[in-house]
């Protein structure tokens, strides 16, 4: 039987589907979650508590330094005073007024190696490849995945640690990658940063690192080259990953050791038996998004493999063992979209029909099998 979801709050947010599909979540100075949304030529920062309290205006707005560049993963400082943008040829820090605070130039992410550039900063070269950046939760560092110069045969890449005050380089890790794109997650312990690099059909690379003020210590979790970095939580020293094609979900220690694993399960029919009518369990796979609802619960979904049917499911799992507790039942009916965990006991979904973001929690008194 399903686990009942209780609606906690809702808010109309045009374009909010990007929050469910991977737009960055970061922490404010008060450790409250905020979401970053690109809207036209601006980056909007929405404090989720304010949004669900009825405040539709963003808490901060930053002009995009390269309006024609719509790739890269950007970041905003915990106090909201500046944003750092991952461009095609530079990482740039910008104040809310649009003033450039500093810029760290790097090689071009363009797909054609060794191509010439004009002096126009707004030029966008061919290619969809991009890097990412992430400001540390204390606001002191910027971690940036960048392209370096090429030898006209191979593009080189690196993971940089920059001083957030002026952008100067503190350390770098040379990467053996040919990225299609990347994203980063800051571990709530305040010391570790994770970097997930998508290589297209060639797989995924996953790195962890820490900077102690003098030394960069880094290691990779690339034995299979097929693990997507999904989420972290302050109550767990490690992290959550999803296999590239969704075959399993894993909980790891920070060194990469696998602590628990879960494969997707077939939905149950009304009488409690596995339903295989037109829905073979071998056809199921996890979606790209999963996360910690709280210290004890993980949410994951099998929406894509349901192929738009009403059998699309969100699932709650035990966070320590990844034991499947059961599918989520919503009072609004079967949910066809993804779910995004917030780590505080709630998760969000988005309904594109009415452009509404909804915040959910497990209903009180819900028990396994209830």
């Amino acid at each position: 039987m399903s686990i009942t979801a209780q609606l906690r709050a809702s808010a109309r947010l045009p374009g909010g589907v990007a929050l469910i599909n991977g737009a960055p979540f970061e922490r404010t100075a008060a450790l409250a979650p905020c979401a970053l949304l690109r809207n036209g030529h601006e980056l909007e920062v929405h404090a989720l508590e304010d949004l669900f309290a009825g405040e539709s205006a963003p808490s901060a707005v930053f002009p995009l330094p390269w309006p024609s560049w719509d790739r890269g993963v950007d970041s905003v400082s915990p106090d909201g005073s500046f944003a750092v943008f991952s461009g095609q040829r530079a990482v740039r820090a910008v104040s809310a007024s649009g003033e450039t605070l500093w810029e760290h130039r790097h090689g071009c992410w363009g797909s054609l190696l060794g191509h010439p550039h004009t002096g126009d900063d707004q030029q966008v070269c061919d290619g969809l490849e991009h890097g990412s950046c992430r400001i540390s939760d204390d606001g002191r560092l910027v971690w940036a995945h960048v392209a370096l110069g090429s030898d006209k045969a191979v593009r080189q890449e690196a993971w940089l640690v920059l001083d957030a005050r002026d952008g100067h380089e503190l350390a770098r890790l040379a990467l053996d990658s040919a990225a299609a794109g990347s994203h980063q997650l800051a571990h709530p312990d305040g010391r570790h940063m994770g970097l997930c690099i998508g290589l297209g059909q060639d797989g995924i690379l996953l790195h962890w690192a820490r900077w102690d003020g003098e030394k960069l210590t880094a290691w990779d979790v690339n034995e299979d080259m097929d693990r997507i970095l999904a989420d972290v939580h302050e109550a767990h020293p490690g992290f959550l990953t999803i296999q590239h094609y969704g075959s399993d979900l894993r909980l790891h220690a920070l060194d990469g050791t696998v602590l628990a694993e879960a494969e997707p399960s077939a939905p149950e029919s009304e009488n409690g038996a596995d339903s295989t009518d037109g829905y073979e369990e071998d056809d199921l796979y996890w979606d790209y998004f999963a996360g910690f609802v709280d210290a004890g619960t993980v949410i994951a979904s099998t929406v894509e493999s349901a192929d738009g049917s009403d059998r699309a499911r969100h699932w709650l799992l035990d966070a320590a063992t990844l034991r499947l507790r059961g599918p989520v039942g919503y009072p609004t009916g079967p949910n066809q979209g993804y779910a995004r965990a917030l780590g505080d006991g709630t998760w969000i979904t988005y309904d594109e029909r009415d452009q509404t973001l909804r915040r959910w929690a497990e209903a009180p008194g819900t028990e396994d099998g209830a």
Side-chain angles (χ1 to χ4, degrees):
M1 301 293 288
S2 64
I3 299 171
T4 303
Q6 181 182 64
L7 183 64
R8 288 289 184 87
S10 61
R12 189 174 184 275
L13 182 65
V17 68
L19 302 184
I20 308 301
N21 294 342
F25 276 115
E26 298 188 0
R27 297 179 180 87
T28 64
L31 298 182
C34 63
L36 280 54
L37 283 178
R38 289 193 179 193
N39 185 6
H41 291 170
E42 296 176 327
L43 180 69
E44 297 179 349
V45 182
H46 292 271
L48 292 187
E49 296 298 336
D50 293 345
L51 183 66
F52 286 119
E55 179 56 69
S56 59
S59 57
V61 177
F62 297 89
L64 300 180
W66 309 283
S68 298
W69 172 247
D70 60 358
R71 312 291 291 180
V73 180
D74 312 315
S75 186
V76 173
S77 64
D79 63 1
S81 63
F82 69 97
V84 177
F85 292 89
S86 175
Q88 196 175 40
R89 293 182 302 201
V91 175
R92 183 182 293 184
V94 177
S95 69
S97 65
E99 175 190 5
T100 297
L101 302 177
W102 52 261
E103 182 176 87
H104 188 95
R105 304 288 293 185
H106 57 71
C108 184
W109 280 107
S111 56
L112 180 63
L113 297 176
H115 60 278
H117 295 120
T118 69
D120 181 9
D121 249 0
Q122 300 302 319
Q123 177 187 352
V124 177
C125 303
D126 291 339
L128 302 177
E129 296 83 359
H130 66 84
S132 59
C133 58
R134 181 64 161 84
I135 302 173
S136 60
D137 286 345
D138 61 9
R140 297 179 179 180
L141 305 174
V142 175
W143 295 74
H145 173 212
V146 304
L148 302 177
S150 73
D151 60 5
K152 301 187 184 300
V154 178
R155 184 180 67 222
Q156 300 169 339
E157 300 174 18
W159 196 13
L160 308 182
V161 183
L162 307 176
D163 190 314
R165 295 171 298 180
D166 56 15
H168 83 267
E169 184 177 320
L170 299 171
R172 73 167 57 190
L173 174 69
L175 299 171
D176 183 16
S177 56
S182 70
H183 70 273
Q184 301 184 48
L185 281 179
H187 198 284
D189 67 7
R191 297 184 297 123
H192 295 93
M193 188 70 70
L195 171 65
C196 184
I197 304 173
L199 308 176
Q201 294 182 348
D202 293 332
I204 297 165
L205 296 177
L206 181 52
H207 298 268
W208 282 96
R210 64 177 179 267
W211 169 251
D212 65 5
E214 297 181 355
K215 180 181 178 182
L216 178 66
T217 302
W219 62 97
D220 65 61
V221 190
N222 297 325
E223 182 177 352
D224 299 324
M225 290 183 60
D226 68 350
R227 310 300 307 177
I228 300 169
L229 179 60
D231 202 12
V232 291
H233 192 277
E234 60 187 357
H236 294 270
F239 55 96
L240 197 66
T241 68
I242 304 168
Q243 195 274 339
H244 191 192
Y245 297 104
S247 65
D248 62 65
L249 178 71
R250 290 180 182 174
L251 178 68
H252 304 256
L254 203 52
D255 64 3
T257 302
V258 178
L259 304 176
E261 181 176 325
E263 296 180 357
S265 177
E268 292 182 345
S269 63
E270 292 183 359
N271 64 11
D274 284 349
S275 172
T276 57
D277 183 15
Y279 197 110
E280 296 297 331
E281 189 162 355
D282 287 346
D283 294 335
L284 284 174
Y285 52 84
W286 294 117
D287 298 319
Y288 288 151
F289 308 106
F292 291 98
V293 174
D294 54 29
T297 307
V298 164
I299 192 167
S301 61
T302 52
V303 171
E304 288 293 335
S305 52
D307 197 25
S309 76
D310 62 3
R311 295 179 179 180
R313 291 290 187 273
H314 298 160
W315 300 83
L316 294 187
L317 303 89
D318 181 274
T321 64
L322 295 186
R323 176 180 61 87
L324 283 166
R325 293 182 51 209
V328 178
Y330 291 93
T332 53
N335 193 288
Q336 300 297 318
Y338 301 124
R340 189 85 179 266
L342 298 183
D344 60 356
T346 66
W347 68 92
I348 57 175
T349 62
Y350 188 79
D351 191 330
E352 294 192 68
R353 296 169 297 181
D354 57 9
Q355 299 184 316
T356 297
L357 193 69
R358 293 185 171 89
R359 188 175 193 170
W360 305 91
E362 185 175 345
T366 297
E367 297 179 0
D368 293 356

